[in-house]
Amino acid sequence: MQSGTTKDRSKMRAVKLVAPHRMEIQDVPIPEPQADEVLVKIAGAGLCHSDLHVLHMGDEWPFFGGTVGHEGAGWVERMGASVEGFAIGDAVLVSVIYSCGQCRPCREGRDNACAVAGSRMQFPTTPGLGPDGAMAEYMVVKAANLDKLGDLDPVSAAPLADAGVTPMHAINSARHRLTATSTVVVTGLGGLGHLGLQILKATTGVRIIAVDSDQSKLDMAARLGADMTILSDRQAATKILAATDEYGADVVFDFVGVQPTVDLALAVVAPEGCIRFVGLGGGQFTYTADSNGPIPWGVSIQRSYGGVRADQLEVISLAQRNLLHVETVTYPLDDFQRAFDDLEAGRVAGRAILVP
Ligand code: NAD
Ligand code: ZN
Ligand code: ZN
């Protein structure tokens, strides 16, 4: 293993998931862009909690050997012959979903449900979770999967691709319940949650209750404008119901998805309310189709996945106008293991980013 910039100009460093629970940094060839592709010089690659889920998935993971990282941004280094609309040096964000752009869902603007890049039960193709991702010095991306960042710093903008887009998508799906009289619970103020909170502040007039098991994350949430912060414990539901005259919260965004947070969402959602389950922590619930159902009448529950290009344009626009700020902790690419250890231990405030 080599640290620092590689001397061989045809090689680069890349973080690979090589076996269950094991990542390593390797020297690999710099990829060559095809006609419709761009070689992106990576500025920053965000660490998502989903990377930890994949790391610990065991033998079931089908993509060992691939470069990790589905939150990438950088600069256009080189372009294939048919690429138009980009210039060398442009700052760009890599879409988290490599949708086809042509199928029925894509043409309907639902590209996170692309029928070609994904299937009924399989999420669409995502860089770093199949195709080589962003935790490397370079990556090749079809020009169609890039959006320009303008003057935004591509290091701190990298997490917008997922930690920004995914909450934006969940929020957009519940807009009808996000009125200025609504109370909204945001559970989990990590990478996704701290941006979800800011998106709510910037685009709605709702009252926000932030819930986390870590007091330091709640302190950050208060700084970012949460109206109320509640520690995630056995009293959380009682406190939320008390804060809403026992009526409940109009929308719950669960960016954790463990059993206590799933239970909390069901225990506090108001009639006609929305629950958006984003976190993949393995919590469960049972629905019974009878008149005593476990949730109030009219509640809509969505298993929210990623986001669409329109969501991506929105988060870029908010960030460009200083309405969305990614709290970052940066690490050199070679220190990837320390970054993942910090994320796993809950030591990251905001988003950890690897910088090649
Ligand atoms: P993160 O590690 O940055 O943040 C998690 C937050 O949850 C932390 O603030 C932590 O303190 C808090 N937390 C942990 N246990 C809690 C509990 N019992 N009650 C309340 N808060 C608790 O994680 P992230 O990168 O923001 O990802 C969040 C989740 O979303 C992960 O499960 C990830 O896999 C998932 N995810 C889903 C999608 C999707 O498309 N559905 C996309 C990206 C990430
Ligand atoms: Zn992710
Ligand atoms: Zn498609």
Side-chain angles (χ1 to χ4, degrees):
M1 194 205 307
Q2 198 173 341
S3 65
T5 307
T6 43
K7 302 229 169 53
D8 181 346
R9 292 249 172 138
S10 68
K11 293 279 183 67
M12 65 172 190
R13 289 165 301 138
V15 178
K16 301 270 179 184
L17 179 60
V18 292
H21 317 287
R22 196 156 67 83
M23 286 185 267
E24 67 182 35
I25 197 157
Q26 297 178 353
D27 279 351
V28 297
I30 295 175
E32 199 49 47
Q34 302 298 303
D36 58 348
E37 289 179 334
V38 170
L39 180 69
V40 178
K41 182 173 169 42
I42 296 296
L47 275 72
C48 179
H49 210 105
S50 298
D51 295 323
L52 288 174
H53 294 317
V54 167
L55 183 66
H56 298 314
M57 196 180 262
D59 288 331
E60 278 167 49
W61 184 245
F63 302 117
F64 288 115
T67 302
V68 205
H70 54 270
E71 290 183 345
W75 303 275
V76 173
E77 173 87 3
R78 209 160 58 237
M79 293 179 278
S82 66
V83 173
E84 288 177 359
F86 291 92
I88 306 295
D90 277 351
V92 288
L93 184 65
V94 181
S95 288
V96 79
I97 291 172
Y98 283 178
S99 53
C100 79
Q102 302 295 325
C103 71
R104 180 177 65 90
C106 278
R107 288 155 78 117
E108 290 172 350
R110 298 184 294 112
D111 36 283
N112 62 338
C114 176
V116 175
S119 62
R120 182 170 169 272
M121 293 303 290
Q122 180 60 38
F123 62 80
T125 309
T126 298
L129 300 171
D132 283 339
M135 292 184 186
E137 291 175 85
Y138 298 91
M139 78 187 280
V140 285
V141 185
K142 278 195 194 316
N145 291 317
L146 294 173
D147 276 321
K148 287 188 199 171
L149 286 167
D151 291 337
L152 281 178
D153 169 19
V155 176
S156 56
L160 294 178
D162 179 18
V165 162
T166 300
M168 176 61 91
H169 188 72
I171 289 166
N172 281 339
S173 78
R175 285 268 170 220
H176 58 297
R177 304 300 303 128
L178 298 172
T179 65
T181 54
S182 298
T183 297
V184 173
V185 172
V186 177
T187 306
L189 278 300
L192 272 66
H194 91 289
L195 295 180
L197 167 58
Q198 293 178 63
I199 293 167
L200 287 169
K201 289 297 287 183
T203 66
T204 76
V206 300
R207 176 168 69 134
I208 301 171
I209 302 179
V211 177
D212 202 291
S213 50
D214 178 340
Q215 184 59 46
S216 71
K217 309 287 168 58
L218 291 178
D219 295 342
M220 180 174 72
R223 225 177 350 99
L224 294 173
D227 297 283
M228 188 183 277
T229 60
I230 293 181
L231 211 54
S232 182
D233 59 18
R234 285 171 190 279
Q235 279 77 53
T238 308
K239 289 178 187 165
I240 292 167
L241 290 173
T244 56
D245 295 330
E246 305 301 324
Y247 188 72
D250 297 282
V251 185
V252 181
F253 295 104
D254 183 347
F255 295 114
V256 189
V258 295
Q259 197 59 51
T261 65
V262 170
D263 291 344
L264 180 72
L266 297 169
V268 304
V269 68
E272 296 279 316
C274 300
I275 299 174
R276 297 295 177 254
F277 286 123
V278 178
L280 306 174
Q284 301 180 8
F285 71 93
T286 307
Y287 177 71
T288 316
D290 67 16
S291 58
N292 305 313
I295 46 172
W297 290 108
V299 167
S300 110
I301 297 180
Q302 191 170 96
R303 183 179 187 230
S304 198
Y305 183 72
V308 299
R309 285 302 274 278
D311 301 316
Q312 182 151 301
L313 296 180
E314 282 197 88
V315 292
I316 291 172
S317 176
L318 288 178
Q320 285 173 334
R321 287 173 292 136
N322 289 319
L323 294 166
L324 187 56
H325 174 76
V326 184
E327 303 273 331
T328 60
V329 187
T330 56
Y331 301 80
L333 186 66
D334 289 340
D335 267 355
F336 71 93
Q337 192 60 58
R338 186 164 60 89
F340 276 103
D341 290 347
D342 284 352
L343 179 64
E344 189 139 43
R347 287 190 291 263
V348 175
R351 205 53 150 180
I353 300 178
L354 299 182
V355 177

